[in-house]
């Protein structure tokens, strides 16, 4: 008589035909493993709040932080107002900044002239409003020029290295050794133009080394990341890696430094104009008005108060904006 076929002993590590992991029914480790396996097959529950929020990029996360920063909102609104009046000063000032009446020299506030008159009898309010155009133009153009030139040279030097990097570093050290005010006195004293472009060119000439050094260090840090090495291993060329992978991730420090430097450049323009080598009449500038009012500060302090206050407020707005952008783009400061 043949022996009955024996059933193999139950082995929990060998699941049945329709089981991923065989349950034990005892609530042990195997049951927990089964529950985890089943949970992996189910879609994530979005919860009552709707679908899960997608991961934000660096720029979207920075914008998310900036929108909730009161310092950024206040400084951005103030800068927007300054830009608008520099483009269309007639919106809030209907007079002519070059129209002067000597009979009203150094007179105080009067109806229709809330800031009084300067030494030449010009309306201080009108000149203060129109003075924003020169200062904002110099600040923005000089910052863009220094940022583009410094980022290009510093980024290329940091990416390729070698003798080009060494030469750029030594040239930048030479420019760092030039005193800004003394260099302005020497460079601009031989310029006869009354436009803003010689001042812009001088600021770009002495401002690009700082941004080039920032861009170089940022590119050197970024090009060592894994995704850049992976792109190189997949055969990406230098141009593609630099434009698609390195530059977008290395530009944040340059933007922060350039934003703060913009306020510094506006202050530098006013300083050079105060010394008589920056902007010159008939250009309307806060630095020129401050220089004309300095000798009359005791007799007519209103001549100095308003252009100096507008200059200080403008520089402060750009510095506050730069600080807010730095806090948003640097995760270590959150």
């Amino acid at each position: 008589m043949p022996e009955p076929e024996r059933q193999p002993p139950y082995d929990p590590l060998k699941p049945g035909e329709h089981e991923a992991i065989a349950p034990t029914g005892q609530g042990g480790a195997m049951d927990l493993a089964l529950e985890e396996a089943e949970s992996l097959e189910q879609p994530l529950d979005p919860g009552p709040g709707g679908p899960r929020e997608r991961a934000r990029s660096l720029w979207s996360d920075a914008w998310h932080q900036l929108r909730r920063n009161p310092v950024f909102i206040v400084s951005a609104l103030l800068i927007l107002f300054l830009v608008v009046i520099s483009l269309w000063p007639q919106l809030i000032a209907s007079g002519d900044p070059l129209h002067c009446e000597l009979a009203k020299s150094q007179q105080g506030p009067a109806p229709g002239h809330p800031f009084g008159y300067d030494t030449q009898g010009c309306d201080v309010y009108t000149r203060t409003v129109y003075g924003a155009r020169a200062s904002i133009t110099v600040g923005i153009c000089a910052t863009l020029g220094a940022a583009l030139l410094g980022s290009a040279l510093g980024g290329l030097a940091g990416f390729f290295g070698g003798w080009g990097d060494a030469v750029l570093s030594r040239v930048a050290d030479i420019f760092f050794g030039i005193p800004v005010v003394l260099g302005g006195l020497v460079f601009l004293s031989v310029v006869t133009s009354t436009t803003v472009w010689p001042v812009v060119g001088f600021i770009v000439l002495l401002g690009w080394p700082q941004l080039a050094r920032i861009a170089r260090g940022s590119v050197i840090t970024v090009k060592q990341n894994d995704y850049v090495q992976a792109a190189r291993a997949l055969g990406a060329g230098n141009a593609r890696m630099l434009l698609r992978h390195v530059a977008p991730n290395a530009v944040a420090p340059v933007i922060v430094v350039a934003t703060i430097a913009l306020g510094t450049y506006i202050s530098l323009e006013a300083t050079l104009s105060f010394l008589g080598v920056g902007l010159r009449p008939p250009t309307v500038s806060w630095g020129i008005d401050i220089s004309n009012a300095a000798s009359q500060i005791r007799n007519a302090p209103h001549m100095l108060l308003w252009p100096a206050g507008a200059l200080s407020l403008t520089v402060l707005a750009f510095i506050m904006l730069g600080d807010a952008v730095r806090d948003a783009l640097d995760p270590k400061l959150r």
Side-chain angles (χ1 to χ4, degrees):
M1 182 176 180
E3 296 182 359
E5 185 178 354
R6 294 183 179 182
Q7 297 290 337
Y10 173 73
D11 188 355
L13 298 180
K14 295 181 179 181
E17 183 178 1
H18 302 289
E19 296 176 332
I21 300 179
T24 64
Q26 304 297 325
M30 299 305 300
D31 289 341
L32 292 177
L34 177 61
E35 293 176 0
E36 292 176 0
E38 292 176 348
S39 64
L40 291 176
E41 297 177 358
Q42 298 176 357
L44 295 175
D45 183 13
R52 291 180 178 268
E53 184 180 1
R54 297 179 60 184
R56 293 191 296 262
S57 64
L58 172 65
W59 302 105
S60 61
D61 188 53
W63 176 243
H64 179 76
Q65 297 290 332
L66 288 174
R67 288 183 302 174
R68 288 159 176 78
N69 190 344
V71 175
F72 170 77
I73 295 175
V74 173
S75 59
L77 290 176
L78 182 56
I79 292 173
L80 179 62
F81 171 75
L82 291 171
V83 171
V84 170
I85 68 171
S86 65
L87 294 175
W88 302 285
Q90 62 273 12
L91 293 177
I92 60 174
S94 58
D96 183 1
L98 301 179
H99 175 73
C100 305
E101 300 180 19
L102 288 176
K104 299 180 179 179
S105 175
Q106 300 184 11
Q107 291 185 7
H113 306 277
F115 294 174
Y117 299 87
D118 63 6
T119 305
Q120 301 296 325
C122 303
D123 184 20
V124 176
Y125 172 77
T126 304
R127 291 187 63 86
T128 301
V129 173
Y130 275 82
R133 173 178 294 178
S135 297
I136 297 297
T137 301
V138 170
I140 293 178
C141 293
T143 302
L144 289 177
L148 293 177
L149 180 61
S151 298
L153 295 178
L156 293 175
F159 185 79
F160 292 104
W163 63 269
D165 185 18
V167 170
L168 179 71
S169 298
R170 301 292 76 80
V171 172
D173 291 338
I174 294 175
F175 280 93
F176 277 124
I178 301 176
V180 178
V181 177
L182 180 60
L185 291 174
V186 174
F187 179 81
L188 296 175
S189 61
V190 298
V191 177
T192 58
S193 175
T194 59
T195 63
V196 300
W197 303 117
V199 180
V200 171
F202 168 74
I203 296 177
V204 171
L205 181 64
L206 293 187
W208 72 265
Q210 178 188 15
L211 295 171
R213 181 163 293 183
I214 297 296
R216 173 184 176 274
S218 182
V219 168
I220 291 176
T221 302
V222 170
K223 76 175 185 178
Q224 298 174 357
N225 292 333
D226 294 338
Y227 56 86
V228 178
Q229 301 301 326
R232 187 186 299 274
L234 292 174
N238 289 330
R240 180 179 178 84
M241 286 191 298
L242 186 60
L243 297 177
R244 295 292 299 274
H245 302 287
V246 176
N249 295 283
V251 73
V254 178
I255 293 177
V256 173
V257 175
T259 306
I260 298 177
L262 200 155
T264 305
Y265 294 158
I266 293 177
S267 178
L268 177 60
E269 176 273 319
T271 301
L272 295 175
S273 299
F274 178 84
L275 296 175
V277 296
L279 301 181
R280 302 171 185 177
T283 304
V284 181
S285 168
W286 289 333
I288 295 175
D289 291 346
I290 293 173
S291 177
N292 295 333
S295 60
Q296 304 295 331
I297 187 172
R298 292 186 177 182
N299 301 326
H302 64 275
M303 294 171 48
L304 178 65
L305 175 63
W306 298 109
L311 174 64
S312 301
L313 193 62
T314 303
V315 174
L316 178 62
F318 281 104
I319 292 177
M320 291 171 55
L321 180 68
D323 289 340
V325 173
R326 179 196 59 189
D327 295 342
L329 292 177
D330 191 352
K332 299 178 182 179
L333 299 178
R334 297 178 189 168

